[in-house]
Structure formats: structure tokens, C-alpha cells
């Protein structure tokens, strides 16, 4: 296989920059511009086949391919971790097809493609978050018809969103939706923030970073421009609450980050560690430096 | 007194004499209008164009709202029409499965219209749910059960409660007692009659059962082959039918 060097990285021959052809990327960018112009609105796009199955991040990869430039620094996370299969293979995909620099450091990255998390490290202006979205339609669970859900979005007819929250309280005594928690964007469109934990919902509100969402199977794009108001839906007498837990991270002892529960031996011993690996290792390094 | 609903020359045809054509009438507040006729005579088509579900080929439907004034149903915007449909109007389907959300609890079904109107207080929604279950004679302790665990008669009553929660002025009913056995039917009719009188509801009810019409309706319209062939007071039509088809309809009723 012939290979040639480009911007210090090995790029596979025979591929256009970032895999997709230029016309496809242009059509995606047009869709993204529309999505940014109408925050929270779902824009259809001509989704392409990607060399991996639906559900593995094809939507996010197409968005990343469309916005990626040669000077960008890419970070890919899966459930907060840089070292899981999905993250490693998508990162390697863009290294091989675009030759861009990659990083695990949140604040070094200019584009962060993510599955199901927003990094703990505060995002800054100029960064772009790209979310992989399985089901973009927040009304889908209660209204199976697509023409009907589109009419509901158009007419701001969102009463049924609260039916789901009502059901939660009636069944469990509290709002038991813990991920893909629906949000109201700029007091106009109800949006599914992709299956991030509701712990991450406040990070969407007035974020300095641009947030782009791509659903590959459903072929929809939507976006949150920087500094957009994003409210989580709730009831007056059951307000939106962040989950709390007593454990701290076993490695970095953080009490503020989102924790994963691990079973570490056959006796069922549990350990809690940060889901955001970069945040955790940064803290560990700092603590070692101080010690 | 001003009519609540004025219908002028309403027509929706799927083919020659299939559908409804040239229907005009006025409906006054608190009045129950029955539409009777054989299968395929256009009763349900008429109901769907009256209630804003199907756009007619021609003709007008005016709704005179005491608060906001007159609305031409098919000139109004989609948003206005939807708002009307879920606040001032109600629709009871023949099959409660079509009118209920089967995968959410009875309480959520009743609360949905309120949530659509912007009620964001769980306690209030709960209270309304319990109150309306009692109104339609369902045990309030079943508020968290799914409608699919209810019997057919209970589902139909739940559907009525779900519509009544927004205190509508006008209800459309498509054979509300169809598919229920006679004792459950009698119970439901009693309930409907009580609610219609108590809440001063105007109702347009489609039925092929003349006994139901006799019990509930103040006025009747007899439909045949897409046209209204006779209209008048219920007792007048049932006791002294003028049109040949009305006579046939009345004489076809089995006497047990």
C-alpha cells in the first residue's frame, strides 16, 4: 500500500481529506449553518455510508469530517474515556484519512467528538463539540408519527413532553430520567441532548463552545451556538435536580466529577472512578507533582 | 341566544354520494345533536369535517367562542385550530384505543390536555386526575394503572374524562357506546346524560343506535347517501318520521 506523509502524519492514499468527498462536506456544512441559525431545530441531511455500522457514531463522524480543517486538533471520547474501542478507532480513522493532530487533553483540542459525555474540564470559546446521536427526536417515544412530531415542533406544541416526566413521578416518586434528559433550547425548541447523563445538562447552558449534533441513522443535524440558553424540562413542584453520590474517584478522589461504577473482583467489590479519563489523569498528575 | 357552532353547506366527497354534502345546521350551547343513518351514509365523514380533522371540499364551520369571538375553522391557522381542539372541544372515539395513550397511565392521560395548556405543577395535575376519575366513576386508586388493564367500558369513560378535563364547550362523539355490552352501555349512557346536563355541554353524537339517540339527543339529523334527508326534534323524528328512509330506519328497530 502506498502511503505519503502530510503535515507530519501518515495519510492513506486514495482518500479525500477526512474521507468524505468535498460536495458531501459542503452539503453537511450548509445543513450545519442552518442548524446553528435555528438552535435546537433538526435539519435533515443526506447521510452517507460510513465504513462502520449505524450506532457506532456515523452521524458524529460525518459532522466531524465536515468541520475538520488541517490545523484542527481532534479529541474523541466514548463515555468520557479516550481509550475505549469506539474512541480509539474513530481517532485512528481521522488520523489516517485526514492526517490531523489528535490529543487526549480537553483544552488542547479544537474539535471534540463525543459519545454520551461532555468533558469535566470547562470548554472554552472556539472549541467545537460533536455529539453522536442515536435518536434525535425527543418526542418519538410518545408520538411515533414523524409528520406529527414535525408539526408539534413547528407549533411549539410540547405538552406531551411533560407526560413522560409525569409518568416518572407517578411511578418512582421523582423524575427518573437520568440520561437523554429533554431540554428547551432558547425557549423555543425541545431538544434531545443525545444520551448524555443529566449530570451534564447544565454544561449545555450558556456554553462558550459550539455544540453540533449528528444522527447518522436518522440523518438529522442540530446545533447549539455558543452562549445559548438551555433549560432542562421539569415541574414547578419537582424541579430539575442533579444526581448526588457519596463516593469519590478511587484514583483522583474527585467528588465533583461523574463516576463510573466498576466491579473489580469475583467478590463483587466495587470501585468508583471518573468517567472522564483525561480529567482524572490530569488531577492524578497534579497530585503527584505536589507530593 | 347565539349558536355555538354554525355549519354552512359543508361538503366532502370521496366519490358520487360517498361522504357528505350540502350539510347546514346551527348548534346551540347545551344542545345534543344526534346524527343517525346506515353504514356508509357519511355520518363519520361529517363528524371528521365538523371537528377539524379533515378539510372539506367546500363549506364553512364557524365556532362562536364566548371569550374570543367567532372562528372560521378552516380559515384559522393550524395553531389556532389545534388550540381550539384541545381546549374548547373534545372528541370521543368509537374505539378508546384511538383516543387514549395506551402506554401511559390513566393519570397522565387525563393530565395531558392540562400539560399542553402549560400546567407545570405535578400536584395540580394529580388532583385533576383523581377528581375526574371520580367524576366518571372509576376508582381513583387506579390512577397509576395503564389503560390497557381497564375494561372496555372503563376505557371509554377514561377517554371521556381525558376530554372533559379542559372544560370544553363542545364534544364530538363517534358511536361512544359501540362495542360495549348492553348493561355497560346503559351505565355509560347514564353517565353521559348526567355530564352533558351538569356541564351544559353541546354535543354532536354519531350513532346508528336509535335507542342511544332517543336517550341523549335533543335533535336528530337522518343521513342517507351523503345527504341529510330529515332533521328535527328527536321525538318528532322517531315517532312521526316523514321521509321514506327515516320511516324504514325507525321500523327496522328490533323490539325485544
Amino acid at each position: 500500500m502506498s502511503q505519503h506523509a502530510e503535515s507530519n502524519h501518515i495519510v492513506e492514499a486514495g482518500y479525500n481529506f477526512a474521507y468524505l468527498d468535498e460536495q458531501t462536506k459542503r452539503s453537511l456544512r450548509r445543513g450545519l449553518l442552518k442548524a446553528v441559525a435555528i438552535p435546537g431545530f433538526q435539519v435533515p441531511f443526506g447521510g452517507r455510508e460510513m465504513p462502520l455500522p449505524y450506532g457506532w457514531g456515523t452521524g458524529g463522524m460525518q459532522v466531524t469530517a465536515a468541520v475538520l480543517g488541517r490545523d484542527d486538533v481532534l479529541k474523541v471520547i466514548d463515555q468520557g474515556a479516550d481509550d475505549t474501542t469506539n474512541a480509539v478507532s474513530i481517532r485512528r480513522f481521522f488520523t489516517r484519512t485526514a492526517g490531523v493532530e489528535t490529543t487526549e487533553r480537553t483544552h488542547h483540542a479544537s474539535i471534540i467528538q463525543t459519545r454520551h459525555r461532555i468533558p469535566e474540564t470547562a470548554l472554552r470559546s472556539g472549541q467545537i463539540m460533536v455529539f453522536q446521536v442515536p435518536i434525535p427526536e425527543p418526542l418519538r417515544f410518545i408520538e411515533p408519527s414523524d409528520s406529527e412530531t414535525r408539526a408539534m415542533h413547528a407549533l411549539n406544541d410540547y405538552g406531551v413532553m411533560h407526560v413522560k416526566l409525569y409518568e416518572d413521578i407517578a411511578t418512582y416518586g421523582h423524575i427518573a430520567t437520568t440520561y437523554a434528559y429533554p431540554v428547551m433550547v432558547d425557549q423555543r425548541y425541545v431538544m434531545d441532548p443525545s444520551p448524555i447523563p443529566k449530570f451534564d445538562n447544565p454544561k449545555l447552558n450558556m456554553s462558550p463552545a459550539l455544540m453540533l449534533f449528528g444522527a447518522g441513522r436518522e440523518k438529522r443535524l442540530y446545533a447549539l451556538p455558543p452562549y445559548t440558553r438551555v433549560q432542562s424540562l421539569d415541574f414547578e413542584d419537582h424541579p430539575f435536580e442533579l444526581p448526588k453520590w457519596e463516593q469519590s474517584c478511587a484514583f483522583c478522589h474527585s467528588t465533583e466529577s461523574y463516576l463510573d461504577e466498576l466491579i473489580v473482583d469475583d467478590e463483587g467489590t466495587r470501585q468508583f472512578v471518573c468517567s472522564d479519563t483525561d480529567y482524572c489523569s490530569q488531577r492524578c498528575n497534579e497530585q503527584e507533582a505536589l507530593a | 341566544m347565539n349558536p355555538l357552532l354554525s355549519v354552512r353547506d359543508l361538503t366532502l366527497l370521496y366519490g358520487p354520494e360517498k361522504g357528505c354534502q350540502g350539510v347546514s345546521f346551527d348548534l346551540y350551547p347545551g344542545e345534543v345533536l344526534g346524527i343517525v343513518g346506515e353504514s356508509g351514509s357519511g355520518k363519520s365523514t361529517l363528524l371528521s369535517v365538523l371537528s377539524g380533522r379533515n378539510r372539506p371540499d367546500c363549506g364553512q364551520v364557524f365556532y362562536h367562542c364566548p371569550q374570543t369571538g367567532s372562528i372560521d375553522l378552516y380559515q384559522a391557522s393550524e395553531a389556532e385550530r389545534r388550540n381550539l381542539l384541545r381546549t374548547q372541544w373534545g372528541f370521543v372515539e368509537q374505539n378508546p384505543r384511538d383516543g387514549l395513550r395506551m402506554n401511559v397511565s390513566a393519570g397522565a392521560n387525563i393530565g395531558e390536555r392540562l400539560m399542553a395548556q402549560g400546567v407545570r405543577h405535578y400536584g395540580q395535575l394529580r388532583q385533576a386526575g383523581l377528581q375526574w376519575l371520580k367524576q366518571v366513576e372509576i376508582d381513583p386508586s387506579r390512577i397509576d394503572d395503564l389503560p390497557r388493564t381497564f375494561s372496555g367500558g372503563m376505557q371509554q369513560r377514561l377517554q371521556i374524562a381525558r376530554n372533559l378535563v379542559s372544560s370544553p364547550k363542545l364534544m364530538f362523539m363517534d358511536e361512544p357506546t359501540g362495542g360495549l355490552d348492553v348493561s355497560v352501555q346503559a351505565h355509560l349512557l347514564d353517565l353521559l346524560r348526567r355530564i352533558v346536563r351538569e356541564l351544559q355541554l353541546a354535543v354532536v353524537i354519531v350513532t346508528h343506535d336509535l335507542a342511544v339517540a332517543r336517550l341523549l339527543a335533543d335533535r336528530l339529523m337522518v343521513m342517507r347517501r351523503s345527504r341529510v334527508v330529515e332533521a328535527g326534534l328527536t321525538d318528532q323524528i322517531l315517532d312521526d318520521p316523514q321521509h321514506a328512509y327515516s320511516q324504514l330506519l325507525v321500523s327496522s328497530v328490533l323490539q325485544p
Side-chain angles (χ1 to χ4, degrees):
Chain A
M1 193 182 289
S2 69
Q3 293 178 330
H4 66 93
E6 189 176 298
S7 60
N8 310 324
H9 291 276
I10 306 299
V11 178
E12 295 273 343
Y15 289 110
N16 189 33
F17 179 75
Y19 186 74
L20 292 176
D21 64 275
E22 292 303 316
Q23 288 305 318
T24 301
K25 288 195 279 184
R26 283 182 64 187
S27 77
L28 268 152
R29 284 176 207 137
R30 278 197 294 272
L32 287 169
L33 284 174
K34 182 170 179 182
V36 169
I38 319 172
F41 176 75
Q42 297 168 48
V43 181
F45 75 103
R48 296 292 187 264
E49 290 271 344
M50 295 301 279
L52 79 172
Y54 288 135
W56 288 41
T58 53
M61 283 171 73
Q62 288 177 79
V63 172
T64 302
V67 297
L68 198 64
R70 292 186 195 276
D71 302 330
D72 273 315
V73 182
L74 182 68
K75 171 182 163 83
V76 183
I77 53 175
D78 171 8
Q79 304 272 17
D82 290 280
D83 53 3
T84 51
T85 315
N86 200 225
V88 169
S89 56
I90 291 176
R91 188 162 53 232
R92 199 176 53 148
F93 176 84
F94 283 112
T95 314
R96 286 171 60 182
T97 58
V100 293
E101 194 184 330
T102 60
T103 180
E104 296 191 356
R105 293 276 171 271
T106 299
H107 74 271
H108 286 167
S110 59
I111 297 176
I112 304 172
Q113 182 173 336
T114 171
R115 174 174 173 266
H116 303 189
R117 271 316 303 278
I118 297 174
E120 307 286 356
T121 314
L123 300 172
R124 60 179 158 73
S125 170
Q127 282 182 317
I128 300 178
M129 289 287 298
V130 178
F131 293 77
Q132 305 169 195
V133 183
I135 299 167
E137 180 52 75
L139 302 162
R140 178 66 68 239
F141 80 99
I142 200 133
E143 182 50 68
S145 156
D146 202 51
S147 62
E148 179 60 23
T149 55
R150 264 179 286 165
M152 289 160 86
H153 283 296
L155 299 171
N156 207 347
D157 187 3
Y158 288 131
V160 292
M161 277 321 294
H162 280 79
V163 171
K164 182 174 154 53
L165 303 181
Y166 172 97
E167 278 294 274
D168 271 358
I169 303 173
T171 315
Y172 305 106
H174 61 276
I175 297 176
T177 305
T178 52
Y179 67 94
Y181 193 104
V183 293
M184 174 63 89
V185 177
D186 203 23
Q187 298 177 331
R188 178 60 185 83
Y189 284 101
V190 166
M191 185 188 94
D192 183 338
S194 87
I196 58 172
K198 74 172 173 185
F199 178 85
D200 284 345
N201 270 20
K203 295 178 193 160
L204 295 168
N205 186 34
M206 299 307 267
S207 166
L210 170 65
M211 311 258 183
L212 304 176
F213 298 77
R217 195 198 313 261
E218 306 265 333
K219 299 178 176 54
R220 291 286 185 279
L221 303 169
Y222 50 103
L224 295 175
Y227 303 105
T228 305
R229 277 171 298 173
V230 178
Q231 279 170 300
S232 304
L233 299 182
D234 59 3
F235 284 106
E236 286 160 16
D237 47 349
H238 286 265
F240 176 79
E241 275 174 354
L242 285 182
K244 293 189 187 75
W245 44 84
E246 279 133 36
Q247 294 82 1
S248 59
C249 173
F251 300 147
C252 74
H253 313 294
S254 169
T255 52
E256 275 136 36
S257 75
Y258 192 75
L259 301 178
D260 283 341
E261 183 178 4
L262 304 178
I263 297 174
V264 290
D265 60 23
D266 289 349
E267 270 73 60
T269 312
R270 279 138 208 272
Q271 244 188 4
F272 289 84
V273 296
C274 292
S275 117
D276 187 337
T277 52
D278 169 51
Y279 172 82
C280 192
S281 62
Q282 295 267 51
R283 276 177 59 93
C284 288
N285 290 346
E286 279 169 27
Q287 285 161 7
E288 271 172 33
L290 283 175
Chain B
M1 188 160 51
N2 286 326
L4 196 63
L5 194 72
S6 304
V7 178
R8 293 291 171 265
D9 194 30
L10 204 59
T11 300
L12 173 62
L13 286 178
Y14 300 112
E17 302 194 326
K18 290 272 177 294
C20 63
Q21 56 183 320
V23 180
S24 304
F25 66 88
D26 287 324
L27 184 72
Y28 289 86
E31 188 183 30
V32 180
L33 173 69
I35 304 174
V36 296
E38 61 192 1
S39 298
S41 61
K43 307 185 296 282
S44 297
T45 306
L46 176 58
L47 197 68
S48 70
V49 284
L50 284 178
S51 60
R53 299 184 153 200
N54 268 335
R55 191 167 277 276
D57 296 335
C58 62
Q60 282 118 30
V61 178
F62 295 101
Y63 174 71
H64 304 285
C65 172
Q67 287 93 43
T68 58
S70 191
I71 295 176
D72 184 339
L73 189 62
Y74 291 103
Q75 295 296 315
S77 70
E78 175 80 23
E80 279 178 303
R81 192 155 54 232
R82 275 181 184 238
N83 187 37
L84 190 67
L85 255 54
R86 67 165 181 241
T87 54
Q88 310 248 342
W89 291 11
F91 197 107
V92 177
E93 306 264 4
Q94 176 174 8
N95 187 343
R97 281 183 182 80
D98 299 334
L100 293 171
R101 290 196 189 276
M102 296 304 282
N103 51 358
V104 300
S105 68
N109 265 291
I110 295 178
E112 184 183 329
R113 277 185 169 221
L114 295 177
M115 293 185 235
Q117 286 169 32
V119 176
R120 294 286 177 266
H121 192 282
Y122 178 79
Q124 288 170 5
L125 293 166
R126 195 80 181 159
Q127 209 52 48
L130 293 168
Q131 185 203 327
W132 278 103
L133 282 178
K134 215 181 304 165
Q135 276 279 337
V136 296
E137 296 163 23
I138 296 175
D139 182 0
S141 68
R142 301 206 58 181
I143 187 167
D144 291 332
D145 292 350
L146 293 180
R148 93 166 73 88
T149 65
F150 288 14
S151 71
M154 284 166 79
Q155 286 180 0
Q156 198 56 283
R157 278 178 276 149
L158 179 61
Q159 196 193 171
I160 291 166
R162 167 185 158 88
N163 277 289
L164 289 178
V165 69
S166 65
S167 347
K169 298 273 181 296
L170 175 60
M171 290 271 273
F172 298 96
M173 300 187 191
D174 191 358
E175 312 232 11
T177 57
L180 301 176
D181 69 58
V182 281
S183 59
V184 176
Q185 244 187 51
H187 185 188
L188 188 70
L189 285 173
D190 262 359
L191 178 88
L192 278 176
R193 203 150 63 145
R194 177 171 64 78
I195 285 174
V196 165
R197 297 285 174 264
E198 274 177 13
L199 305 177
Q200 279 294 298
L201 273 177
V203 178
V204 179
I205 183 168
V206 160
T207 179
H208 60 255
D209 187 338
L210 293 183
V212 170
R214 167 89 83 177
L215 216 57
L216 281 178
D218 303 317
R219 271 199 303 149
L220 277 189
M221 292 203 311
V222 183
M223 286 191 75
R224 188 186 184 217
R225 293 195 190 153
S226 78
R227 287 174 213 276
V228 176
V229 293
E230 194 171 353
L233 296 176
T234 304
D235 291 344
Q236 189 187 331
I237 288 191
L238 294 182
D239 295 340
D240 182 20
Q242 300 294 310
H243 190 273
Y245 176 70
S246 313
Q247 291 169 355
L248 176 72
L249 198 69
V250 171
S251 63
S252 308
V253 176
L254 294 174
Q255 300 295 337

